[in-house]
Amino acid sequence: QRIPLLMEEIDKPTLAAINGDAIGAGLDMALQCDLRLASDQARFAEGYVNVGIVPGDGGGYYLPRIIRLDHALELLWTGRMVDAAEAYRLGLVTRVVPHGQLMTETYVLAERLARGPQQAIRLIKRTVYQSLKTDLRTSLDMVSSFMGLVTELPDYQEGLKAIREKRRPRFE
């Protein structure tokens, strides 16, 4: 149970690239990531119930936060396997790509995030996850504090300059 707790503390984006079967703990590991890219050959199941146990790696926590509660319960209670297309329809995965392009697509996304404004990206992640645990007023107060921080950084100036010059920003 240390891994889900550690994954929650990571302030940088985490990506899962799923190229085959993600069942039980394998699916739970993918659910701990912020974004999940799946090969069109990937399959998913919360198979714990098939051996008479409960999800022990965060599946019961993450799954209903990612997909609808009724769909989460159905998958948890039945252990039913879903293919990549259904996983996408359920909202279980962020994107489905051809099997041979999975790692390329994952690295392209990772590189794009790595080239972005790092402090803003970390604070966006913190804002989103904290907002799931708090009320609107508290979330807005937190964002206001974050805004005061990021508008003092060079990335903000570069972003404004890029808008004025009608180009993509080049963050350092």
Side-chain angles (χ1 to χ4, degrees):
Q1 293 179 351
R2 291 182 312 203
I3 293 172
L5 294 170
L6 289 171
M7 290 293 286
E8 186 173 355
E9 293 177 15
I10 295 173
D11 65 350
K12 295 180 181 177
T14 56
L15 308 177
I18 304 120
N19 66 359
D21 290 351
I23 301 169
L27 175 54
D28 293 350
M29 293 283 295
L31 295 175
Q32 294 166 24
C33 293
D34 301 312
L35 304 176
R36 288 160 302 286
L37 283 73
S39 151
D40 56 8
Q41 296 177 19
R43 298 184 313 160
F44 305 85
E46 282 289 0
Y48 296 98
V49 72
N50 293 331
V51 290
I53 60 175
V54 297
D57 295 302
Y61 177 84
Y62 290 107
L63 195 60
R65 285 169 168 76
I66 294 170
I67 68 173
R68 284 183 14 198
L69 177 63
D70 58 330
H71 290 298
L73 286 169
E74 189 260 342
L75 291 176
L76 289 162
W77 286 339
T78 66
R80 182 171 68 85
M81 182 85 73
V82 298
D83 64 15
E86 184 175 0
Y88 179 76
R89 283 192 303 276
L90 290 170
L92 186 61
V93 296
T94 311
R95 190 184 311 166
V96 176
V97 300
H99 185 73
Q101 295 175 3
L102 176 64
M103 294 314 296
T104 299
E105 292 287 328
T106 303
Y107 283 120
V108 165
L109 178 55
E111 287 172 12
R112 180 174 182 170
L113 295 174
R115 285 192 312 268
Q118 294 306 295
Q119 188 64 25
I121 288 172
R122 283 192 289 278
L123 294 175
I124 289 168
K125 179 174 177 172
R126 190 173 302 167
T127 298
V128 169
Y129 284 106
Q130 287 299 317
S131 74
L132 295 173
K133 302 174 186 178
T134 190
D135 61 273
L136 177 60
R137 183 170 307 281
T138 303
S139 181
L140 292 173
D141 286 346
M142 181 178 62
V143 169
S144 180
S145 298
F146 290 167
M147 197 63 96
L149 216 142
V150 294
T151 56
E152 297 296 319
L153 298 174
D155 288 341
Y156 175 67
Q157 296 306 317
E158 167 58 19
L160 289 178
K161 185 177 178 186
I163 289 170
R164 284 192 302 273
E165 296 174 0
K166 297 181 183 344
R167 62 172 173 79
R168 291 193 57 95
R170 293 182 292 272
F171 300 110
E172 308 237 346

